[in-house]
Amino acid sequence: MASVVIPLATPVVRLALTKLTSFVTTEVSAFNHVKDEIETLKNTLTEIQAVLTRLEAVQQSSSMEWFNRLRVAAYDADDLIYSWATRYLQWSMKKEVQIIHLPFSTSNFLFQYLQSRKLRKIIATLNKILEDGQRYKNITDTPMPTTGNPSQSQQTGSVSSSLVVSREEDKEKIIRLLTTDEESSDGQNISFIPIVGMGGLGKTTLAQLVYNDDRMNQTFETKIWVCVTDNFDIKRIFREIVMSQMSKKIIGHDANSISVDKLETHAKDILAQKRFLLVLDDLWTYNHVDLEPLEKILVQGGRGSKVLVTSRISEISNLKYSKSAYFLQCLGDTESWSLFQNIAFKEHLLTGRVREELEVYGKEIVSKCKGLPLAVKQMGGLLCGNTDVNRWKNIKSSQTWEVGDDRVLPALRLSYDHLLPNHKQCFAYCSLFPKAYVYEKDELVKLWMAEALIEPNNRERTEVIGSTYLKELSNRFFFEREDETKYRMHDVIHDLAQEISSPFCCQVKDKKDIMTPNFNEKSRHVSLLSEEIEQPTLEIIKKSKKLRTLILPVQHLKAFGKVQHEIFHSLRYMRTLDLSSSTIQTLPESIEKLRLLHYLDLSKTEITALPDSICKLYNLQTLKLLQCPWLFNLPTNLKTLVNLRHLELDEMFWYKASMLPRSIGCLTSLHNLHKFQVSFSFTFVVALLNLGPLTLHCHLTESLINNNNNDGSQVGCKTGYKLEELKNMEYLTGTLHISKLENATNAEEANLKEKELIEKVIYEWSNSDLNLQDEATEKQVLEDIQPHSRVKELQICHYRSTEFPIWMRGRQLQNLVNIELNHCTRITILSLVEGMARRDLSILRGG
């Protein structure tokens, strides 16, 4: 029987319904002309949602096309609702709400007239889909299983994804092969040692055990690990070799822009005459023509150099310089059961009859995994912390075990089927990235947020919920955690992600991919993995005008050319747009047409300025501007981006930029504001009068130049740069650098002691005669900007008082580990040390 994974439609419908319900509650009075149609749409989506929950649980292959049609229509409904909500927000930002409430407002009536046809078409489509779905009524009327319900969240503890059972003998055999000084069959200094086995058998895990063994450091001068995958790219392999041994400072600013010839030269320099160990993980090609450029470099290594290869293809043993393949075997029953127990029973030390019953079903489940460690881990992760005997029994008896002829996929599918709907969506989205891709936790969560894949609640930040999603997927072995922030996905798991996400998520490696059935008008999320992107992008735009995601996860320089214009004019429903590492130098004003955009990455470009129209992207959550060397300022109306959460700028920008846009405090959702410069007020100007006319003129001129706003206005005559701007920015995280504190008034309005996510605070006064604050005033200012008790680092610059405020001398800062004092020349007694609770507190003093 052919294997089938039903497309996931419930979260898409639920999202559209949630948005519509909120829209009806708060904004529908502005759209009276289509009020009845909106209510009809709401009722239709509610009815569909009731059918979906039951139908998805049954997984009937005959309903696949129905699910696809429904998901497309739900996407369209969501786009329409979001467009209306954005339109309403736009009017509100322009303070035109009173106009749109008038029943015959011209702009409102025209907008509703143009959109009403779309609404009626969507309703008709959904009703037809619902009507066609009546054939499944007998399925949806069947009682749902009482266990294994994916809507019930399962709490599990942290499970190590590197569990290894019974591979010690294999490890020792491989090490002996690597440390034996034998020439290859051709008399060369190098030999290939292939580890061959089916997907999920643990080849990579075994190679990692060998690679990390201390004997490898003693045997080889250099060790290099390269993930190859099925998309063999010689340039990427050379780049991985080079980057593993050389810093970017040596090979240039961006290694991704170096030509393949230069990378080959660098690789040769690294390996020549050195005894090295190179691991080529997950090699799929044994074609000599493909491998010849690499072989030419490898043979120049020192005597005894080895290349350890992992592959699913037995023909790898035919490689030039290759020894006989080491065929990795499946785990035995004892080893499989031991691995399963280590995971499934981790949370509960059960004894007695319940344990005995679970073991009976558990052993039958393990036997169905056919000795494949990945399958055993999946089942252990699925049942970890669960003591419901019926659940174990149902999983053992699931028909999924009989689906398909691949021995690992049934276990993976079964584990996937029991994920929560939102977790399924997040997992499927990861299919956009290439195999062996390193997922950064925070970055992946931002992308999930941009696509509304994370279901928010009123208790936690969405970022925290997203991190929980990733942790739970890792606990179920859909990801392998490398460290606290980096994750990888096993290539077999990645295969599953691609299968269940198609055709809505699609990788485009070249123009041919666009011509395949995997990419069609249903596709909503696309990643471009080719070096030449202009022509493929044009084809994508022609086929899918309703694209939501366009990302470029492969790190090399991309030339968009004229297609840039088409992106901004044609893809009106974009949520995520990645233009990083591209040749783009200017953003057109037409970017404002992407009103639904949540995520925009312009990092590593030579962009010089952002157009004012970008401030009309009211839904924007993430704006990435890292490594943009020619960007010196931000748009003046940045405050209108009321949903902005992550404004990513590097240290160089903060060094170059003279001032942030005015009224930054309007961005109450912002998480990172590295630097805030306080401006002077009229009170400060009056105080300057005592300096005399000439001195006053000099000081004012210097100050106005330094504090000049981007639109040419004089900051000293406006509000928007006072410490009170920080008052409602409760989500600020990381580092906050507050400068020019000599201009501070009402400093307590910053409310810093309530901002618990800030880890480091820098307080800085200017080192100039312009600072007119006396000692008492400076002390009071510092008293008023007390940080949260959880702050870890504190830096104070040019503070002129002779003592610190009370909060520094008491025990308020319980987590403080570092204090740095720069040019605080009047402090003679550091009495604050006695009050600190942490013994590892270090103090640096400069000046």
Coordinates of all heavy atoms in Angstrom, one line a residue, residues 69-142:
R69 N -7.4 21.3 -1.3 CA -8.3 22.4 -1.7 C -8.7 23.2 -0.5 O -8.8 24.5 -0.6 CB -9.6 21.7 -2.3 CG -9.4 21.1 -3.7 CD -10.6 20.3 -4.1 NE -11.8 21.2 -4.1 CZ -13.0 20.7 -4.0 NH1 -13.2 19.4 -3.9 NH2 -14.1 21.5 -4.0
L70 N -9.0 22.6 0.6 CA -9.4 23.3 1.8 C -8.3 24.2 2.3 O -8.5 25.3 2.7 CB -9.9 22.3 2.9 CG -10.3 22.9 4.2 CD1 -11.5 23.9 4.0 CD2 -10.7 21.8 5.2
R71 N -7.1 23.7 2.3 CA -6.0 24.5 2.8 C -5.7 25.7 2.0 O -5.4 26.8 2.5 CB -4.7 23.6 2.9 CG -3.6 24.2 3.7 CD -2.5 23.2 4.0 NE -1.4 23.9 4.6 CZ -0.3 23.2 5.0 NH1 -0.1 21.9 4.7 NH2 0.7 23.8 5.6
V72 N -5.8 25.5 0.6 CA -5.7 26.7 -0.3 C -6.7 27.7 0.0 O -6.4 28.9 0.1 CB -5.7 26.2 -1.7 CG1 -5.8 27.4 -2.7 CG2 -4.5 25.4 -2.1
A73 N -8.0 27.3 0.1 CA -9.1 28.2 0.4 C -8.9 28.9 1.8 O -9.2 30.1 1.9 CB -10.4 27.5 0.4
A74 N -8.4 28.2 2.8 CA -8.2 28.7 4.1 C -7.1 29.8 4.0 O -7.1 30.8 4.7 CB -7.8 27.6 5.1
Y75 N -6.0 29.5 3.3 CA -4.9 30.5 3.0 C -5.5 31.8 2.4 O -5.2 32.9 2.9 CB -3.9 29.9 2.1 CG -2.8 29.1 2.8 CD1 -2.4 27.9 2.3 CD2 -2.1 29.6 3.9 CE1 -1.3 27.2 2.9 CE2 -1.1 28.9 4.5 CZ -0.7 27.7 4.0 OH 0.3 27.0 4.6
D76 N -6.4 31.6 1.4 CA -7.0 32.8 0.7 C -7.8 33.6 1.7 O -7.8 34.8 1.7 CB -7.8 32.3 -0.4 CG -7.0 31.8 -1.6 OD1 -5.8 32.0 -1.6 OD2 -7.5 31.1 -2.5
A77 N -8.6 32.9 2.5 CA -9.4 33.6 3.5 C -8.6 34.3 4.5 O -8.9 35.5 4.9 CB -10.3 32.6 4.3
D78 N -7.5 33.7 5.0 CA -6.6 34.3 5.9 C -6.0 35.6 5.3 O -5.8 36.6 6.0 CB -5.5 33.3 6.3 CG -4.5 33.9 7.3 OD1 -5.0 34.3 8.4 OD2 -3.3 34.0 7.0
D79 N -5.5 35.5 4.0 CA -5.0 36.6 3.4 C -5.9 37.8 3.3 O -5.6 38.9 3.5 CB -4.5 36.2 1.9 CG -3.3 35.4 1.9 OD1 -2.5 35.4 2.9 OD2 -3.1 34.7 0.9
L80 N -7.2 37.5 3.0 CA -8.2 38.5 2.9 C -8.5 39.2 4.2 O -8.5 40.4 4.3 CB -9.5 38.0 2.3 CG -10.6 39.0 2.1 CD1 -10.2 40.0 1.0 CD2 -11.9 38.3 1.7
I81 N -8.6 38.4 5.2 CA -8.9 38.9 6.6 C -7.8 39.8 7.1 O -7.9 40.9 7.6 CB -9.2 37.7 7.6 CG1 -10.4 36.9 7.2 CG2 -9.3 38.3 9.0 CD1 -10.5 35.6 7.8
Y82 N -6.5 39.3 6.8 CA -5.4 40.0 7.3 C -5.2 41.3 6.5 O -4.8 42.3 7.1 CB -4.1 39.1 7.1 CG -3.1 39.2 8.3 CD1 -2.4 38.1 8.7 CD2 -2.9 40.4 8.9 CE1 -1.5 38.2 9.7 CE2 -2.0 40.5 10.0 CZ -1.3 39.4 10.4 OH -0.5 39.5 11.4
S83 N -5.5 41.3 5.2 CA -5.5 42.5 4.5 C -6.5 43.5 5.0 O -6.1 44.7 5.1 CB -5.8 42.2 3.0 OG -4.8 41.4 2.4
W84 N -7.6 43.1 5.4 CA -8.6 44.0 5.9 C -8.2 44.6 7.3 O -8.3 45.8 7.5 CB -10.0 43.3 6.1 CG -10.7 43.1 4.8 CD1 -10.1 43.2 3.5 CD2 -12.0 42.7 4.6 NE1 -11.1 43.0 2.6 CE2 -12.3 42.7 3.2 CE3 -13.1 42.5 5.5 CZ2 -13.5 42.3 2.7 CZ3 -14.3 42.1 4.9 CH2 -14.5 42.0 3.5
A85 N -7.7 43.7 8.1 CA -7.2 44.2 9.4 C -6.1 45.1 9.3 O -6.0 46.1 10.0 CB -6.8 43.0 10.3
T86 N -5.2 44.9 8.3 CA -4.1 45.8 8.1 C -4.6 47.1 7.5 O -4.0 48.2 7.9 CB -3.1 45.2 7.1 OG1 -2.6 43.9 7.6 CG2 -1.9 46.1 6.8
R87 N -5.6 47.1 6.7 CA -6.2 48.3 6.2 C -6.7 49.2 7.3 O -6.6 50.4 7.3 CB -7.3 48.0 5.2 CG -7.9 49.1 4.5 CD -7.1 49.7 3.4 NE -7.8 50.7 2.6 CZ -7.5 51.1 1.4 NH1 -6.5 50.5 0.8 NH2 -8.2 52.0 0.8
Y88 N -7.4 48.5 8.2 CA -8.0 49.2 9.3 C -6.9 49.8 10.2 O -7.0 51.0 10.6 CB -8.8 48.2 10.2 CG -9.5 48.8 11.4 CD1 -10.7 49.4 11.3 CD2 -8.9 48.9 12.6 CE1 -11.3 50.0 12.3 CE2 -9.5 49.4 13.7 CZ -10.7 50.0 13.6 OH -11.3 50.6 14.6
L89 N -5.8 49.1 10.4 CA -4.7 49.6 11.2 C -4.1 50.8 10.5 O -3.7 51.8 11.1 CB -3.6 48.5 11.4 CG -2.4 48.9 12.2 CD1 -2.7 49.4 13.6 CD2 -1.4 47.7 12.3
Q90 N -4.0 50.7 9.2 CA -3.4 51.8 8.4 C -4.2 53.1 8.6 O -3.7 54.2 8.8 CB -3.4 51.4 6.9 CG -2.9 52.6 6.0 CD -3.1 52.3 4.6 OE1 -3.6 51.2 4.2 NE2 -2.7 53.2 3.7
W91 N -5.5 52.9 8.5 CA -6.4 54.1 8.7 C -6.3 54.6 10.1 O -6.3 55.8 10.4 CB -7.9 53.7 8.4 CG -8.2 53.6 6.9 CD1 -7.6 54.3 5.9 CD2 -9.1 52.8 6.3 NE1 -8.2 54.0 4.7 CE2 -9.1 53.0 4.9 CE3 -10.0 51.8 6.8 CZ2 -9.9 52.3 4.0 CZ3 -10.8 51.1 5.9 CH2 -10.8 51.4 4.5
S92 N -6.2 53.7 11.1 CA -6.1 54.1 12.5 C -4.8 54.9 12.7 O -4.7 55.9 13.4 CB -6.1 52.9 13.4 OG -7.3 52.2 13.3
M93 N -3.7 54.4 12.1 CA -2.4 55.1 12.2 C -2.5 56.5 11.6 O -1.8 57.4 12.1 CB -1.3 54.3 11.5 CG -1.0 53.0 12.2 SD -0.4 53.1 13.8 CE 1.3 53.7 13.5
K94 N -3.3 56.7 10.6 CA -3.4 58.0 10.0 C -4.5 58.9 10.7 O -4.8 60.0 10.3 CB -3.8 57.9 8.5 CG -2.7 57.3 7.7 CD -3.2 57.2 6.2 CE -2.1 56.7 5.3 NZ -2.6 56.6 3.9
K95 N -5.0 58.3 11.8 CA -6.1 59.0 12.6 C -7.3 59.4 11.7 O -7.9 60.4 11.8 CB -5.5 60.3 13.2 CG -4.3 60.0 14.2 CD -3.8 61.3 14.8 CE -2.7 61.0 15.8 NZ -2.1 62.2 16.4
E96 N -7.7 58.4 10.9 CA -8.8 58.5 10.0 C -10.0 57.6 10.5 O -10.9 57.4 9.7 CB -8.5 58.3 8.6 CG -7.5 59.3 8.0 CD -7.1 58.9 6.6 OE1 -7.6 57.9 6.1 OE2 -6.3 59.7 6.0
V97 N -9.9 57.1 11.7 CA -10.9 56.2 12.1 C -12.3 56.8 12.1 O -13.3 56.2 11.7 CB -10.6 55.7 13.5 CG1 -11.7 54.7 14.0 CG2 -9.2 55.0 13.6
Q98 N -12.4 58.1 12.4 CA -13.7 58.7 12.4 C -14.3 58.8 11.0 O -15.5 58.9 10.9 CB -13.6 60.1 13.1 CG -12.8 61.2 12.2 CD -11.3 61.1 12.3 OE1 -10.8 60.1 12.9 NE2 -10.6 62.0 11.7
I99 N -13.4 58.8 10.0 CA -13.9 58.8 8.6 C -14.5 57.5 8.2 O -15.6 57.4 7.7 CB -12.8 59.3 7.7 CG1 -12.4 60.7 8.0 CG2 -13.3 59.2 6.2 CD1 -11.2 61.2 7.2
I100 N -13.8 56.4 8.5 CA -14.2 55.1 8.0 C -15.4 54.6 8.7 O -16.1 53.7 8.3 CB -13.0 54.1 8.2 CG1 -12.7 53.8 9.6 CG2 -11.8 54.5 7.4 CD1 -11.7 52.7 9.8
H101 N -15.8 55.2 9.9 CA -17.0 54.8 10.5 C -18.2 55.4 9.8 O -19.3 55.0 10.1 CB -17.0 55.2 12.0 CG -16.2 54.2 12.8 ND1 -16.6 53.0 13.1 CD2 -15.0 54.3 13.4 CE1 -15.7 52.3 13.9 NE2 -14.7 53.2 14.1
L102 N -18.0 56.4 9.0 CA -19.1 57.0 8.3 C -19.6 56.0 7.2 O -18.7 55.5 6.4 CB -18.7 58.3 7.6 CG -18.4 59.4 8.6 CD1 -17.9 60.7 7.9 CD2 -19.6 59.8 9.5
P103 N -20.8 55.7 7.0 CA -21.3 54.7 6.1 C -21.0 55.0 4.7 O -20.9 54.0 3.9 CB -22.8 54.6 6.4 CG -23.2 55.9 7.0 CD -22.0 56.3 7.8
F104 N -20.9 56.2 4.3 CA -20.6 56.6 2.9 C -19.3 57.2 2.6 O -19.1 58.0 1.7 CB -21.7 57.5 2.3 CG -23.1 56.8 2.4 CD1 -24.0 57.3 3.4 CD2 -23.4 55.8 1.5 CE1 -25.3 56.7 3.4 CE2 -24.7 55.2 1.6 CZ -25.6 55.6 2.5
S105 N -18.3 56.8 3.5 CA -16.9 57.3 3.3 C -16.5 56.8 1.9 O -16.5 55.6 1.6 CB -16.0 56.8 4.4 OG -14.7 56.9 4.0
T106 N -15.9 57.7 1.1 CA -15.6 57.3 -0.3 C -14.5 56.2 -0.3 O -14.6 55.2 -1.0 CB -15.1 58.5 -1.0 OG1 -16.1 59.5 -1.0 CG2 -14.7 58.1 -2.5
S107 N -13.4 56.4 0.5 CA -12.3 55.5 0.5 C -12.7 54.1 1.0 O -12.4 53.1 0.5 CB -11.1 56.0 1.3 OG -11.5 56.3 2.6
N108 N -13.6 54.2 2.1 CA -14.0 52.9 2.7 C -14.9 52.2 1.8 O -14.8 51.0 1.6 CB -14.8 53.3 4.0 CG -15.2 52.0 4.8 OD1 -14.5 51.0 4.7 ND2 -16.3 52.1 5.5
F109 N -15.9 52.9 1.2 CA -16.8 52.2 0.3 C -16.1 51.6 -0.9 O -16.4 50.4 -1.3 CB -17.9 53.2 -0.2 CG -18.9 52.6 -1.1 CD1 -20.0 51.9 -0.6 CD2 -18.8 52.7 -2.5 CE1 -20.9 51.3 -1.4 CE2 -19.7 52.2 -3.3 CZ -20.8 51.5 -2.8
L110 N -15.2 52.3 -1.5 CA -14.5 51.8 -2.7 C -13.7 50.5 -2.3 O -13.7 49.5 -3.0 CB -13.5 52.9 -3.2 CG -12.7 52.5 -4.4 CD1 -13.6 52.1 -5.6 CD2 -11.7 53.6 -4.8
F111 N -13.0 50.6 -1.2 CA -12.2 49.4 -0.7 C -13.1 48.2 -0.5 O -12.8 47.1 -1.0 CB -11.5 49.7 0.6 CG -10.7 48.6 1.2 CD1 -9.5 48.2 0.6 CD2 -11.2 47.9 2.3 CE1 -8.8 47.1 1.1 CE2 -10.5 46.8 2.8 CZ -9.3 46.4 2.2
Q112 N -14.3 48.4 0.2 CA -15.2 47.3 0.4 C -15.8 46.8 -0.9 O -16.0 45.5 -1.0 CB -16.3 47.8 1.4 CG -15.8 48.0 2.8 CD -17.0 48.4 3.7 OE1 -17.9 47.6 3.8 NE2 -16.9 49.5 4.3
Y113 N -16.0 47.6 -1.8 CA -16.6 47.2 -3.1 C -15.6 46.3 -3.8 O -16.0 45.2 -4.4 CB -17.0 48.4 -4.0 CG -17.4 48.0 -5.3 CD1 -18.7 47.6 -5.6 CD2 -16.6 48.1 -6.4 CE1 -19.2 47.2 -6.8 CE2 -17.0 47.8 -7.7 CZ -18.3 47.3 -7.9 OH -18.7 46.9 -9.1
L114 N -14.3 46.7 -3.8 CA -13.3 45.9 -4.6 C -13.1 44.6 -3.9 O -12.8 43.6 -4.5 CB -12.0 46.7 -4.7 CG -12.1 48.0 -5.5 CD1 -10.8 48.8 -5.4 CD2 -12.4 47.7 -7.0
Q115 N -13.2 44.6 -2.5 CA -12.9 43.4 -1.8 C -14.0 42.4 -1.6 O -13.9 41.2 -1.4 CB -12.3 43.7 -0.4 CG -11.0 44.5 -0.4 CD -9.9 43.7 -1.0 OE1 -9.6 42.6 -0.6 NE2 -9.2 44.4 -1.9
S116 N -15.3 42.9 -1.8 CA -16.4 42.1 -1.5 C -16.5 40.9 -2.5 O -17.0 39.9 -2.2 CB -17.7 43.0 -1.6 OG -17.8 43.6 -2.9
R117 N -16.1 41.2 -3.8 CA -16.1 40.1 -4.8 C -15.2 39.0 -4.3 O -15.5 37.8 -4.5 CB -15.7 40.6 -6.1 CG -16.8 41.5 -6.8 CD -16.3 42.3 -7.9 NE -15.5 41.5 -8.9 CZ -14.9 42.1 -9.9 NH1 -15.0 43.4 -10.2 NH2 -14.1 41.4 -10.7
K118 N -14.0 39.3 -3.8 CA -13.1 38.3 -3.3 C -13.7 37.5 -2.2 O -13.6 36.3 -2.1 CB -11.8 38.9 -2.8 CG -10.9 39.6 -3.9 CD -9.6 40.1 -3.3 CE -8.8 40.8 -4.3 NZ -7.5 41.3 -3.8
L119 N -14.4 38.2 -1.3 CA -15.0 37.6 -0.1 C -16.1 36.6 -0.6 O -16.2 35.4 -0.1 CB -15.6 38.6 0.8 CG -16.4 38.1 2.0 CD1 -15.5 37.2 2.9 CD2 -16.9 39.3 2.9
R120 N -17.0 37.0 -1.5 CA -18.0 36.1 -2.0 C -17.5 34.9 -2.7 O -18.0 33.8 -2.6 CB -19.0 36.9 -2.9 CG -19.9 37.9 -2.1 CD -21.0 38.4 -3.0 NE -20.5 39.2 -4.1 CZ -20.3 40.6 -4.0 NH1 -20.6 41.2 -2.9 NH2 -19.9 41.3 -5.0
K121 N -16.4 35.1 -3.4 CA -15.7 34.0 -4.1 C -15.2 33.0 -3.1 O -15.3 31.8 -3.3 CB -14.6 34.5 -5.0 CG -14.0 33.4 -5.9 CD -12.9 34.1 -6.8 CE -12.3 33.0 -7.7 NZ -11.2 33.5 -8.6
I122 N -14.5 33.5 -2.1 CA -14.0 32.6 -1.1 C -15.1 31.8 -0.4 O -15.0 30.6 -0.1 CB -13.1 33.4 -0.1 CG1 -11.9 33.9 -0.7 CG2 -12.8 32.5 1.2 CD1 -11.0 34.8 0.1
I123 N -16.2 32.5 0.0 CA -17.3 31.8 0.6 C -17.9 30.7 -0.3 O -18.2 29.6 0.2 CB -18.4 32.8 1.0 CG1 -17.9 33.8 2.1 CG2 -19.7 32.1 1.5 CD1 -18.8 34.9 2.4
A124 N -18.0 31.0 -1.6 CA -18.6 30.0 -2.5 C -17.6 28.8 -2.6 O -18.1 27.7 -2.6 CB -18.8 30.7 -3.9
T125 N -16.3 29.1 -2.6 CA -15.3 28.0 -2.7 C -15.4 27.1 -1.5 O -15.4 25.9 -1.6 CB -13.9 28.6 -2.9 OG1 -13.9 29.4 -4.1 CG2 -12.9 27.5 -3.0
L126 N -15.4 27.8 -0.3 CA -15.5 27.0 0.9 C -16.8 26.2 1.0 O -16.8 25.0 1.5 CB -15.4 27.9 2.1 CG -14.0 28.5 2.4 CD1 -14.0 29.6 3.4 CD2 -13.0 27.4 2.8
N127 N -17.9 26.8 0.6 CA -19.2 26.0 0.7 C -19.1 24.8 -0.2 O -19.7 23.7 0.1 CB -20.3 26.9 0.3 CG -20.7 27.9 1.4 OD1 -20.6 27.5 2.6 ND2 -21.2 29.0 1.1
K128 N -18.5 25.0 -1.4 CA -18.4 23.8 -2.4 C -17.5 22.8 -1.8 O -17.8 21.5 -1.8 CB -17.8 24.3 -3.7 CG -17.7 23.2 -4.7 CD -19.0 22.7 -5.2 CE -19.0 21.8 -6.4 NZ -18.2 20.6 -6.2
I129 N -16.4 23.2 -1.1 CA -15.5 22.2 -0.5 C -16.2 21.5 0.6 O -16.1 20.2 0.8 CB -14.2 22.9 0.0 CG1 -13.4 23.5 -1.1 CG2 -13.4 22.0 0.9 CD1 -12.3 24.3 -0.7
L130 N -17.0 22.2 1.4 CA -17.8 21.6 2.5 C -18.8 20.6 2.0 O -19.0 19.5 2.5 CB -18.4 22.7 3.3 CG -19.1 22.3 4.7 CD1 -18.0 21.7 5.6 CD2 -19.7 23.5 5.4
E131 N -19.4 21.0 0.9 CA -20.4 20.1 0.3 C -19.8 18.8 -0.2 O -20.3 17.7 0.0 CB -21.1 20.8 -0.9 CG -22.2 20.0 -1.6 CD -22.7 20.8 -2.8 OE1 -22.7 22.0 -2.8 OE2 -23.2 20.1 -3.7
D132 N -18.6 19.0 -0.9 CA -17.9 17.8 -1.4 C -17.4 16.9 -0.2 O -17.3 15.7 -0.4 CB -16.7 18.2 -2.2 CG -17.1 18.9 -3.5 OD1 -18.3 18.8 -3.9 OD2 -16.3 19.5 -4.2
G133 N -17.2 17.5 0.9 CA -16.7 16.8 2.0 C -17.7 15.9 2.7 O -17.4 15.2 3.6
Q134 N -19.0 16.1 2.3 CA -20.1 15.3 3.0 C -19.9 13.8 2.7 O -20.4 13.0 3.4 CB -21.4 15.7 2.4 CG -21.8 17.1 2.8 CD -21.8 17.3 4.3 OE1 -22.3 16.5 5.1 NE2 -21.2 18.4 4.8
R135 N -19.1 13.4 1.7 CA -18.9 12.0 1.4 C -18.0 11.4 2.5 O -18.0 10.2 2.6 CB -18.1 11.9 0.1 CG -16.7 12.3 0.1 CD -15.9 12.1 -1.2 NE -16.3 13.1 -2.1 CZ -15.7 13.3 -3.3 NH1 -14.7 12.6 -3.7 NH2 -16.1 14.3 -4.1
Y136 N -17.4 12.2 3.3 CA -16.6 11.7 4.4 C -17.3 11.7 5.7 O -16.7 11.4 6.7 CB -15.3 12.5 4.6 CG -14.5 12.7 3.3 CD1 -14.4 13.9 2.7 CD2 -13.9 11.6 2.7 CE1 -13.6 14.1 1.5 CE2 -13.2 11.7 1.5 CZ -13.1 13.0 0.9 OH -12.4 13.1 -0.3
K137 N -18.6 11.9 5.6 CA -19.4 12.0 6.8 C -19.4 10.7 7.6 O -19.3 10.7 8.9 CB -20.9 12.4 6.5 CG -21.7 12.8 7.7 CD -23.1 13.3 7.3 CE -23.8 13.8 8.5 NZ -24.0 12.8 9.6
N138 N -19.4 9.6 6.9 CA -19.4 8.3 7.6 C -18.1 8.1 8.4 O -18.0 7.5 9.4 CB -19.6 7.2 6.7 CG -18.5 7.1 5.6 OD1 -18.0 8.2 5.2 ND2 -18.1 5.9 5.2
I139 N -17.0 8.8 7.9 CA -15.7 8.7 8.6 C -15.7 9.6 9.8 O -15.3 9.2 10.9 CB -14.6 9.2 7.6 CG1 -14.5 8.2 6.4 CG2 -13.2 9.2 8.4 CD1 -13.4 8.7 5.4
T140 N -16.2 10.8 9.6 CA -16.2 11.8 10.8 C -17.2 11.4 11.8 O -17.1 11.8 13.0 CB -16.5 13.2 10.3 OG1 -17.7 13.2 9.6 CG2 -15.4 13.7 9.3
D141 N -18.2 10.6 11.5 CA -19.1 10.1 12.5 C -18.6 9.0 13.4 O -19.2 8.6 14.3 CB -20.5 9.7 11.9 CG -21.3 10.9 11.4 OD1 -20.9 12.0 11.9 OD2 -22.2 10.8 10.6
T142 N -17.5 8.4 12.9 CA -16.9 7.3 13.7 C -16.3 7.8 14.9 O -15.7 8.8 14.9 CB -15.8 6.6 12.9 OG1 -15.9 6.9 11.6 CG2 -15.9 5.1 13.0

